[in-house]
């Protein structure tokens, strides 16, 4: 099967789960071309995982276009199929403008690229996959519409829904893209219910084609570490943004310090909240206990995670689906304390971690205090979590299942209208 994958940024500093998913599909025998909305920044290749090096996905199979280079081919596509092209613009952009100027500009930006790629590549693929539901999804939708019209081919179209940037916040033209798709793939069980509630008037059509496909880990690269850890080191990993909730962790650390706990908080990542977090630690008098390590390479992150006592993911609300770092910590044997939001409970259920209410500083401090005082419980959680990672997050098994789903899909003439099943939606 030849698969065209549309994504937003690649290469980039953080595209970890995208690269893992693509390598798993390649390993399952799928031939892949990647179409990237953002312009190429060649310096970012140095951050690409060796798991998806050029020996696996040659650079010429990763397509970028400037608007200047897209203009001529896009115009030719527009002239050949004006009703489809202009019709798509008139459907998408009014929906985008309601979300503001930035959303309108980004939506408009993808159309010339979609039309130009359709002019040169539309007859080469067996299946189209929008890896994100937002602007990459719009680009893939426009590409697919022209490809079907130009070559009169019924290619399946799938769309992958993730979290904050394409599902939880201000989705643009999303209902129409979901109804148009043959498969709706999502990264955690929580998103199934979220999709059902988001579009109640189209629930039957949408939920009939939702598949949960967990992002996988190459577990051989995440060795389980049972011992040799610091007894008092708490780590949190992620972009330093408000929705991550790292300020709640710093406040919880201050409470633990008041209780006499001698702990170190290690924040790995960078972002707009860095100075605010530093100021908060200083204000609470625990600056000497908080290490802001900045952005680290993937191997350095894994090393820090493997040495930590506990990993905390204190999300303040919907933002991430099922964060990478939660699954990675589970794999290497670092017990996780996470907010009871989105897909985090899916991972930490059955004693595989500890859940706390979001934005509850005292509950977070209590959970950490109890876990720091109980090495046996930490070991039990680590053992259970590693087994769950092996059962649910194996990269190669999940990639093979996804490949089978995509290969078996046939394009529907009309959106399915089957009755909603009382059984859980299928897992891929």
């Amino acid at each position: 099967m030849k698969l065209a994958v549309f994504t937003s940024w690649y290469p980039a500093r953080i595209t970890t789960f995208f690269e893992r998913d693509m390598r798993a599909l390649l390993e399952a025998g799928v031939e892949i071309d990647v179409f990237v909305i953002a312009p190429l920044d060649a310096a970012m290749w140095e951050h690409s995982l060796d798991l998806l090096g050029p020996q696996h996905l040659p650079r010429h199979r990763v397509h970028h276009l400037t608007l200047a280079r897209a203009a001529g081919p896009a115009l030719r596509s527009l002239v050949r199929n004006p009703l489809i092209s202009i019709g798509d613009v008139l459907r998408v952009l009014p929906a985008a403008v309601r979300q503001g100027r930035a959303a309108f500009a980004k939506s408009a930006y993808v159309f010339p690229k979609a039309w130009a790629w359709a002019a040169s590549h539309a007859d080469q693929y067996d299946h189209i996959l929008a890896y994100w539901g937002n602007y990459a999804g719009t680009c893939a939708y426009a590409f697919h519409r022209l490809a079907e019209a130009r070559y009169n081919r019924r290619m399946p179209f799938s769309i992958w829904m993730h979290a904050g940037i394409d599902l939880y916040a201000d989705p643009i033209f999303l209902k129409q893209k979901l109804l148009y798709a043959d498969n709706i793939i999502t990264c955690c069980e929580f998103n199934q219910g979220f999709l059902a509630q988001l579009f109640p008037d189209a629930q039957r059509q949408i939920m009939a084609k939702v598949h949960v496909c967990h992002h996988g880990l190459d577990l051989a690269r995440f060795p389980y570490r049972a011992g040799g850890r610091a007894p008092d080191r708490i780590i949190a990993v992620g972009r330093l943004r408000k929705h991550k909730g790292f300020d709640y962790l710093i406040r919880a650390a201050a409470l633990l310090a008041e209780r006499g706990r001698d702990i170190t908080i290690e924040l790995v990542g960078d972002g707009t909240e860095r100075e605010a977090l530093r100021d908060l630690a200083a204000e609470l008098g625990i600056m000497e206990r908080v290490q802001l390590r900045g952005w680290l390479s993937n191997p350095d992150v894994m090393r820090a995670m493997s040495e930590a006592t506990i990993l905390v993911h204190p999300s303040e609300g919907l933002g991430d689906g099922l964060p990478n770092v939660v699954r990675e910590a589970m794999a290497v044997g670092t017990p996780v304390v996470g907010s009871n939001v989105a897909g985090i409970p899916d991972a930490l259920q059955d004693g595989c971690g500890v859940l706390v209410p979001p934005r509850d500083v005292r509950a977070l401090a209590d959970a950490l205090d109890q876990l720091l005082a109980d090495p046996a419980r930490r070991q039990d959680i680590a053992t259970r979590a590693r087994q769950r990672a092996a059962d649910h997050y194996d990269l190669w098994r999940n990639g093979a299942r996804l490949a089978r789903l995509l290969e078996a899909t046939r394009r529907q003439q009309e959106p399915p209208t089957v009755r909603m099943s009382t059984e859980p939606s299928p897992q891929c």
Side-chain angles (χ1 to χ4, degrees), residues 205-281:
Q205 298 98 313
I206 289 172
M207 295 307 296
K209 49 191 177 181
V210 173
H211 304 266
V212 174
C213 188
H214 296 119
H215 299 306
L217 302 172
D218 181 4
L219 293 170
R221 298 180 180 227
F222 290 84
Y224 178 77
R225 182 171 177 172
R229 295 171 178 270
D232 53 6
R233 179 167 288 270
I234 297 170
I235 191 171
V237 181
R239 294 181 181 179
L240 304 186
R241 293 182 176 174
K242 190 69 177 71
H243 76 273
K244 296 287 189 179
F246 294 140
D247 54 325
Y248 297 102
L249 173 56
I250 290 178
R251 294 182 187 280
L255 281 182
L256 292 174
E258 290 176 6
R259 298 174 187 179
R261 280 280 175 201
D262 185 14
I263 59 167
T264 298
I265 303 296
E266 187 174 3
L267 296 181
V268 176
D270 213 342
T272 55
E273 290 292 302
R274 181 183 179 90
E275 293 307 314
L277 293 171
R278 184 190 299 277
D279 292 345
L280 178 62

Side-chain angles (χ1 to χ4, degrees), residues 224 330 352 381-393:
Y224 178 77
M330 293 170 68
C352 293
I381 288 172
T383 302
R384 291 171 181 267
R386 173 66 186 198
Q387 186 59 53
R388 185 168 186 84
D391 291 343
H392 291 269
Y393 309 134

